[in-house]
Amino acid sequence: MYHLLSRVTLGATSIRMMRSAMSWKGARRLCCTDCNSIAGVWINELGSRVVLHPSDDGETLKGHYCSAVSDLENGDEREGGNTATKDGPLSAPLFGTQPERPGGTFGWVVNWEPTKPNEDGTGGGVLSTTTWTAQCVETTAYGPMLQTTWILRSEVESPEERWLSTLVGQDTFFRKKPKKSD
């Protein structure tokens, strides 16, 4: 077990995940020209898309997140094995903070709206919130990428269901290359 400054205890699995994230082959952590701006469209390995708009104040971040994957009761299978709602992909505005310097860490939050119940009153989603912590790193093979860790928290009916309420994962987002017509 390891203790961080915040007195949080991390198990061996967490330590392996952190080491893995820090040792991406070809990644340069120190500053970089490709990570001078995080603005634009980024797409992860599952097809989810984040559009980041840093504000002029140098502190806040706005944008939009469109998830190609969800784990909703009313989902249906889409091409590539991704799940989305019957009304299409989940999409919501995001708010966050900008990195202090190029290549620095930053984060954003999305509050997901619940899906609508079926006509017979069954189904419908719950309120949930996802937070992402991120860092832009340069790679020789792929150019700039955002390495992220996310936490999804959904509401539950009782304290006993708390263990069902939180999911944690990691994603890597790559900058979308503009088309010649863009």
Side-chain angles (χ1 to χ4, degrees), residues 9-19:
T9 304
L10 298 177
T13 302
S14 298
I15 298 302
R16 280 193 300 277
M17 285 175 30
M18 288 170 52
R19 285 185 183 145

PDB file of all heavy atoms in Angstrom, residues 9-19:
ATOM      1  N   THR A   9      -5.010   5.983   0.614  1.00  0.00           N
ATOM      2  CA  THR A   9      -4.251   4.754   0.467  1.00  0.00           C
ATOM      3  C   THR A   9      -4.573   4.135  -0.889  1.00  0.00           C
ATOM      4  O   THR A   9      -5.734   3.939  -1.222  1.00  0.00           O
ATOM      5  CB  THR A   9      -4.608   3.762   1.592  1.00  0.00           C
ATOM      6  OG1 THR A   9      -4.372   4.400   2.840  1.00  0.00           O
ATOM      7  CG2 THR A   9      -3.791   2.496   1.474  1.00  0.00           C
ATOM      8  N   LEU A  10      -3.540   3.822  -1.651  1.00  0.00           N
ATOM      9  CA  LEU A  10      -3.716   3.206  -2.953  1.00  0.00           C
ATOM     10  C   LEU A  10      -3.240   1.766  -2.896  1.00  0.00           C
ATOM     11  O   LEU A  10      -2.182   1.469  -2.355  1.00  0.00           O
ATOM     12  CB  LEU A  10      -2.907   3.952  -4.017  1.00  0.00           C
ATOM     13  CG  LEU A  10      -3.298   5.409  -4.254  1.00  0.00           C
ATOM     14  CD1 LEU A  10      -2.362   6.025  -5.270  1.00  0.00           C
ATOM     15  CD2 LEU A  10      -4.731   5.494  -4.733  1.00  0.00           C
ATOM     16  N   GLY A  11      -4.022   0.870  -3.482  1.00  0.00           N
ATOM     17  CA  GLY A  11      -3.633  -0.528  -3.557  1.00  0.00           C
ATOM     18  C   GLY A  11      -2.714  -0.769  -4.738  1.00  0.00           C
ATOM     19  O   GLY A  11      -2.436   0.122  -5.546  1.00  0.00           O
ATOM     20  N   ALA A  12      -2.244  -1.993  -4.872  1.00  0.00           N
ATOM     21  CA  ALA A  12      -1.305  -2.352  -5.932  1.00  0.00           C
ATOM     22  C   ALA A  12      -1.884  -2.116  -7.319  1.00  0.00           C
ATOM     23  O   ALA A  12      -1.179  -1.693  -8.231  1.00  0.00           O
ATOM     24  CB  ALA A  12      -0.883  -3.814  -5.768  1.00  0.00           C
ATOM     25  N   THR A  13      -3.184  -2.379  -7.515  1.00  0.00           N
ATOM     26  CA  THR A  13      -3.803  -2.171  -8.818  1.00  0.00           C
ATOM     27  C   THR A  13      -3.751  -0.705  -9.216  1.00  0.00           C
ATOM     28  O   THR A  13      -3.432  -0.378 -10.358  1.00  0.00           O
ATOM     29  CB  THR A  13      -5.270  -2.655  -8.800  1.00  0.00           C
ATOM     30  OG1 THR A  13      -5.274  -4.025  -8.436  1.00  0.00           O
ATOM     31  CG2 THR A  13      -5.917  -2.481 -10.155  1.00  0.00           C
ATOM     32  N   SER A  14      -4.043   0.194  -8.298  1.00  0.00           N
ATOM     33  CA  SER A  14      -3.996   1.623  -8.593  1.00  0.00           C
ATOM     34  C   SER A  14      -2.587   2.064  -8.955  1.00  0.00           C
ATOM     35  O   SER A  14      -2.391   2.856  -9.871  1.00  0.00           O
ATOM     36  CB  SER A  14      -4.482   2.434  -7.391  1.00  0.00           C
ATOM     37  OG  SER A  14      -5.812   2.117  -7.100  1.00  0.00           O
ATOM     38  N   ILE A  15      -1.609   1.548  -8.259  1.00  0.00           N
ATOM     39  CA  ILE A  15      -0.224   1.896  -8.534  1.00  0.00           C
ATOM     40  C   ILE A  15       0.177   1.413  -9.927  1.00  0.00           C
ATOM     41  O   ILE A  15       0.806   2.140 -10.690  1.00  0.00           O
ATOM     42  CB  ILE A  15       0.723   1.307  -7.459  1.00  0.00           C
ATOM     43  CG1 ILE A  15       0.388   1.882  -6.092  1.00  0.00           C
ATOM     44  CG2 ILE A  15       2.183   1.541  -7.824  1.00  0.00           C
ATOM     45  CD1 ILE A  15       0.456   3.397  -6.005  1.00  0.00           C
ATOM     46  N   ARG A  16      -0.237   0.190 -10.308  1.00  0.00           N
ATOM     47  CA  ARG A  16       0.070  -0.317 -11.650  1.00  0.00           C
ATOM     48  C   ARG A  16      -0.575   0.556 -12.719  1.00  0.00           C
ATOM     49  O   ARG A  16       0.026   0.843 -13.745  1.00  0.00           O
ATOM     50  CB  ARG A  16      -0.394  -1.765 -11.789  1.00  0.00           C
ATOM     51  CG  ARG A  16       0.560  -2.770 -11.180  1.00  0.00           C
ATOM     52  CD  ARG A  16       0.228  -4.194 -11.620  1.00  0.00           C
ATOM     53  NE  ARG A  16      -1.099  -4.623 -11.237  1.00  0.00           N
ATOM     54  CZ  ARG A  16      -1.424  -5.115 -10.049  1.00  0.00           C
ATOM     55  NH1 ARG A  16      -0.511  -5.232  -9.118  1.00  0.00           N
ATOM     56  NH2 ARG A  16      -2.660  -5.491  -9.786  1.00  0.00           N
ATOM     57  N   MET A  17      -1.830   0.999 -12.488  1.00  0.00           N
ATOM     58  CA  MET A  17      -2.500   1.857 -13.454  1.00  0.00           C
ATOM     59  C   MET A  17      -1.759   3.181 -13.604  1.00  0.00           C
ATOM     60  O   MET A  17      -1.579   3.676 -14.710  1.00  0.00           O
ATOM     61  CB  MET A  17      -3.951   2.111 -13.031  1.00  0.00           C
ATOM     62  CG  MET A  17      -4.837   0.919 -13.259  1.00  0.00           C
ATOM     63  SD  MET A  17      -6.548   1.079 -12.652  1.00  0.00           S
ATOM     64  CE  MET A  17      -6.938   2.762 -12.769  1.00  0.00           C
ATOM     65  N   MET A  18      -1.320   3.748 -12.498  1.00  0.00           N
ATOM     66  CA  MET A  18      -0.604   5.023 -12.551  1.00  0.00           C
ATOM     67  C   MET A  18       0.721   4.865 -13.289  1.00  0.00           C
ATOM     68  O   MET A  18       1.078   5.688 -14.123  1.00  0.00           O
ATOM     69  CB  MET A  18      -0.366   5.554 -11.135  1.00  0.00           C
ATOM     70  CG  MET A  18      -1.633   6.058 -10.477  1.00  0.00           C
ATOM     71  SD  MET A  18      -1.450   6.429  -8.720  1.00  0.00           S
ATOM     72  CE  MET A  18      -0.041   7.488  -8.683  1.00  0.00           C
ATOM     73  N   ARG A  19       1.455   3.793 -13.004  1.00  0.00           N
ATOM     74  CA  ARG A  19       2.727   3.572 -13.689  1.00  0.00           C
ATOM     75  C   ARG A  19       2.509   3.359 -15.179  1.00  0.00           C
ATOM     76  O   ARG A  19       3.274   3.830 -16.002  1.00  0.00           O
ATOM     77  CB  ARG A  19       3.442   2.379 -13.080  1.00  0.00           C
ATOM     78  CG  ARG A  19       4.062   2.693 -11.756  1.00  0.00           C
ATOM     79  CD  ARG A  19       4.869   1.531 -11.242  1.00  0.00           C
ATOM     80  NE  ARG A  19       5.384   1.853  -9.933  1.00  0.00           N
ATOM     81  CZ  ARG A  19       5.529   0.989  -8.957  1.00  0.00           C
ATOM     82  NH1 ARG A  19       5.216  -0.282  -9.145  1.00  0.00           N
ATOM     83  NH2 ARG A  19       5.998   1.362  -7.789  1.00  0.00           N
TER      84      ARG A  19
END
